[in-house]
Amino acid sequence: MGFNCGIVGLPNVGKSTLFNALTSTQAAQAANYPFCTIEPNTGRVSVPDERVDHLAKIAASVKIVPTQLEFVDIAGLVRGASKGEGLGNQFLGNIREVDAIIHVLRCFEDGDITHVEGSVDPIRDAETVDTELMISDMDNLEKRLTAIAKKAKGGDMEAKTAQEVMEAALKLLQAGEPARKMIGTLTVAQEPHFRNLQLITAKPVLYVCNVEESAAAHGNAHSAKVFERAKNEKTQAVVISAAIEAEVAQLGSDEEKKEYLGSMGLNEPGLNRIIRAGYALLNLITFFTVGPKETHAWTLKRNSKAPQAAGVIHTDFEKGFIKAEIIDYDSFVKLGGEAACRDAGKLRMEGKEYVMNDGDICHFRFNV
């Protein structure tokens, strides 16, 4: 099960520098000109989670396998992308394939790095990208509405529901609002039709404010405006300095990294916050399998049931699911392992309807 976040933004905002630091590679060539990134670069990163280390220590596991998240560095977008300007069509095609959007905004002044719009204004930049994505979604809906309306007129009830959803989404977009504002307002019958539209503006968004090194700990006036925007949109924003993250990625030992970050007034890399925020943005949770051979963290959509969790490990586990042995993380750590939890009655047997919780430690019983 793969989940990915697309890193987007205007050219020269620090996207590729951020991607390189995230993945600790130089896969994305960073350069001071637009469209340096032409093909989307993809990298998988471990999600920082202290729990996996605690569990491995208790179980004396030989191996640790953290859960991971995929990041995709997508070519910079410019005004007019929805009409094919720059690498517009390619950008829009690539972003349509990701699960969530990490929108990098330039919040630093630097005369040596050109800005495609001529000045630094992260809110204007966010609106430029939003506008292009909304125009693309509107064009998409308008092209599809005629065909679906014909089916609805012919008495197809599924088509009628789809038409209602498409018309509501189009009306919202025409008012300058992203399609994700419809989420939470849809009926059970409408939800699958909305998902099938695969609208770009329906994807969740995390704003990343790329600031100068001196503002990495607390942000600046530019990032403050972005945080206000994020608050109004009921989403999140994170402050990072891509320059600092690039430096940290090049350092060898954890001690060197800690010392360097401390000198900048930071207690952890900004990348950790981005990864955790991206994980939350995708509405994911982590469950664990723990044993002497390995402690393994697994990724699962929130509100998933036990058989679906079993299926993340192996499809046969889901097909032949019988029961799940569940121990909550706090009990496992407090009591010191599976045997003690079993003796204390903290190991539960759960069936097919059990909704998984973040931090559950599991053993699945199955028969195929």
Side-chain angles (χ1 to χ4, degrees), residues 19 21-24 43-48 66-71 275:
F19 175 83
L22 270 168
T23 56
S24 295
R44 296 188 68 81
V45 300
S46 298
V47 177
T67 191
Q68 294 190 317
L69 197 59
E70 189 172 272
F71 286 89
I275 296 166

Side-chain angles (χ1 to χ4, degrees), residues 10-22:
L10 298 181
N12 297 341
V13 298
K15 293 187 305 86
S16 295
T17 302
L18 176 63
F19 175 83
N20 291 339
L22 270 168

